[in-house]
Amino acid sequence: MTHLQLCRDSLDGLSVGDALGAQFFVPGTSVSELVAGRPPASPWPWTDDTEMACSVFAELRDFGKIDQDRLASAFAHRYEPYRGYGAGSVVLLRQVRDGAAWQQAAAAAFDGKGSMGNGAAMRVAPIGAFHAGDTRTAALEAMRSAEVTHAHPEAVLGAIAVAVAAAEVGRARLSGAGLEPAQLLDAVLDVVATGQTGAGIARARSLLGASVAEASYELGNGARPLAQTTVPFTLWAAATYLHDYPRAIIACIEAGGDVDTTAAIVGGIVATFTGIGDHGVPRAWLTAREPLPAFGTG
Ligand code: F2R
Ligand code: MG
């Protein structure tokens, strides 16, 4: 098991979560049918979460690290408008594609506050997987990947938290050591303890053992698609269902809100630990997901 294989598993978990989660915006799609083993009809198109994560993956596969200029250019030139990007990201990616510096475009977003959307967190789990066991590098690379589109500190903290979680579960997979839910959240809190996102993760730790309904009510489900109202619940779900990928994704669907993105984040973390098959990403779900773009394979 190489770090690139972990990264690939993470991307598969992320993209399947995204694509399946997005199906639940289609009227008539039922979670009870999914629980009964009858998933929605394929194909499941993936959305912006996967398109951006594939660019992150390609950076790691080809260069082993995040170069901010190259990543910003990749995001902008691969942007497909029908993939459901957030409104701020649409503006920013078009500006960068038209020649603006990402530093200025990201800083100017939302009246100079920068985006605190969950878009930096939704694409970052493969970075943590690639740096499994190296929390510090995972956090630094996550920060670099976030900054090219999201200048607000909450968005950057959210991305760091997700990458650290993926690095920690990757460490556990490689070593074969156990990882309790509280241990995972403590490892994240060692790095991200500030801001609303840090406070939310601390609250998530106190809610371990709660129901999906209570946890999502208390922590948010991304209905406001911000880092601080998305990342705490996703870490709660990943920690709670770390050994069971399908159950982790179903928890996101049950929670409602920004389902494609909560399932992408949770899927990217959990698949780093479970891999494919058995209690990992079901092979039938992988087949149902729209094939990844060529730049996100290999
Ligand atoms: N947004 C969606 N889906 C709904 C759009 C559908 C689309 N129009 C279509 O039908 O095709 N999904 C995607 O957005 C989330 C990721 O968002 P990202 O990349 O962070 O974008 P953005 O626009 O920067 O932030 C998202 C929203 O958060 C609010 N917001 C952000 N920063 C703010 C700030 N400083 N102050 C106030 N509000 C802020 C805004 O409402 C942004 O639009 C994922 O769900 C992805 O799948
Ligand atoms: Mg999406």
Side-chain angles (χ1 to χ4, degrees), residues 18 22 47-50 83-85 122 258 260-261:
D18 170 33
T47 79
D48 57 329
D49 309 53
T50 296
R83 294 289 182 181
Y85 281 81
M122 75 188 180
D258 191 3
D260 60 309
T261 291

Side-chain angles (χ1 to χ4, degrees), residues 76-88:
H77 287 95
R78 290 170 178 158
Y79 155 74
E80 294 174 323
Y82 58 89
R83 294 289 182 181
Y85 281 81

Side-chain angles (χ1 to χ4, degrees), residues 69-290:
D69 294 335
R70 208 167 44 217
L71 185 63
S73 173
F75 284 158
H77 287 95
R78 290 170 178 158
Y79 155 74
E80 294 174 323
Y82 58 89
R83 294 289 182 181
Y85 281 81
S89 283
V90 169
V91 172
L92 179 137
L93 294 173
R94 287 185 174 162
Q95 288 172 339
V96 173
R97 194 187 56 194
D98 291 344
W102 62 262
Q103 294 90 336
Q104 284 163 16
F110 295 97
D111 297 326
K113 295 192 287 286
S115 173
M116 54 185 175
N118 57 23
M122 75 188 180
R123 64 191 187 220
V124 80
I127 292 180
F130 190 76
H131 294 292
D134 183 353
T135 302
R136 183 182 151 75
T137 304
L140 279 171
E141 289 283 89
M143 181 185 75
R144 292 186 185 110
S145 75
E147 284 173 344
V148 304
T149 49
H150 289 69
H152 195 287
E154 293 292 348
V156 178
L157 287 170
I160 292 172
V162 172
V164 167
E168 283 299 314
V169 306
R171 180 206 303 273
R173 182 173 176 191
L174 291 174
S175 69
L179 185 62
E180 293 299 319
Q183 275 180 289
L184 174 56
L185 296 190
D186 284 343
V188 175
L189 285 165
D190 279 348
V191 182
V192 177
T194 56
Q196 293 177 45
T197 303
I201 298 166
R203 180 87 179 107
R205 190 194 186 292
S206 75
L207 286 164
L208 289 173
S211 65
V212 170
E214 184 181 359
S216 57
Y217 176 80
E218 293 289 332
L219 301 172
N221 60 6
R224 289 185 72 209
L226 308 177
Q228 60 270 42
T229 52
T230 304
V231 170
F233 171 73
T234 61
L235 295 185
W236 177 91
T240 300
Y241 300 110
L242 184 60
H243 297 263
D244 188 342
Y245 177 93
R247 186 66 193 89
I249 298 301
I250 287 166
C252 297
I253 295 165
E254 288 171 343
D258 191 3
V259 174
D260 60 309
T261 291
T262 54
I265 296 172
V266 171
I269 298 170
V270 172
T272 303
F273 183 76
T274 61
I276 313 300
D278 295 327
H279 296 289
V281 185
R283 293 186 195 283
W285 292 13
L286 259 182
T287 307
R289 180 207 62 200
E290 176 189 3

